[in-house]
Amino acid sequence: MLIEYRDASKAPDRLDGVAAESIALKVDAIVANSSQTTGAAVNQTKTIPIVTLSTNPVGLGFVASLAKPGGNVTGVSLPGPEVSGKRLQILKPAIPGVSRVAVIWDPNDPAAHFSVEESRTAATALGLNLQVLEGRNADAIESALQAAMNAEAEAVVFLPTPLFDGLAEEIAGLAMQRRLPTLYFSMKP
């Protein structure tokens, strides 16, 4: 068995090219580890099997249903948006008196839109003032945290996205410099 590995998670603008390259290699299957990667693969082929690790594949139109996906896409659906509200529910009692929270998300990640909406709903129910900030690339983390500080956010939640994976040390360091409580999730150490 030969495995062709490609990674464009830190350069989402390259995903379509990486998917096309994989198809040109005549691979037997594509394993896509995010909603962005799955979307790029789905746009390129309707015949090569795609195994996805994605948030809300039904909502994004990758599959007809979780029980009967149909088409050429199958895999695992991650509970991303469904736990976005839980993050705020955990944060509120952890920081007594918190009222202003910023969420940082990657608008290039199609699944992240669902997490933002779920966060807005939860913030309203919890009586939190929510500021939504964009982080379009790894270099934007520092400016997003500074924007949160400028808006007097009392805490920050990074919504899960492949763009932020593996950056726990950097995010924690920047948040500690600002003395800004931060919730963060990563699938990579």
Side-chain angles (χ1 to χ4, degrees):
M1 176 188 328
L2 177 63
I3 297 175
E4 295 285 347
Y5 179 79
R6 304 292 187 271
D7 182 6
S9 60
K10 301 296 185 226
D13 56 316
R14 291 187 45 237
L15 286 172
D16 288 331
V18 169
E21 179 183 333
S22 298
I23 291 163
L25 291 170
K26 300 190 185 317
V27 297
D28 294 319
I30 296 171
V31 177
N33 68 343
S34 71
S35 299
Q36 287 174 287
T37 307
T38 302
V42 165
N43 289 339
Q44 297 285 332
T45 182
K46 302 293 183 220
T47 57
I48 297 173
I50 300 168
V51 181
T52 183
L53 181 61
S54 174
T55 300
N56 200 351
V58 175
L60 291 170
F62 300 152
V63 298
S65 75
L66 295 179
K68 296 185 182 199
N72 64 321
V73 179
T74 190
V76 177
S77 176
L78 298 172
E82 298 84 357
V83 297
S84 293
K86 284 286 181 196
R87 287 183 183 89
L88 295 177
Q89 289 175 0
I90 291 168
L91 185 72
K92 187 165 181 174
I95 306 169
V98 68
S99 63
R100 292 182 309 277
V101 177
V103 295
I104 300 176
W105 71 301
D106 176 10
N108 296 317
D109 183 346
H113 295 270
F114 299 109
S115 294
V116 169
E117 290 311 311
E118 189 68 27
S119 295
R120 284 187 172 128
T121 300
T124 299
L126 294 166
L128 295 171
N129 180 1
L130 192 70
Q131 178 186 19
V132 179
L133 302 169
E134 295 181 359
R136 292 184 179 268
N137 57 55
D139 297 331
I141 293 169
E142 187 166 6
S143 61
L145 284 171
Q146 190 57 51
M149 293 290 296
N150 293 346
E152 298 180 1
E154 299 160 323
V156 173
V157 175
F158 278 84
L159 297 179
T161 183
L163 181 65
F164 302 144
D165 275 354
L167 299 176
E169 190 174 320
E170 179 183 348
I171 290 170
L174 290 168
M176 287 187 335
Q177 285 174 3
R178 290 168 173 76
R179 302 185 56 79
L180 186 60
T182 303
L183 250 169
Y184 169 76
F185 170 85
S186 177
M187 291 182 56
K188 295 179 185 175

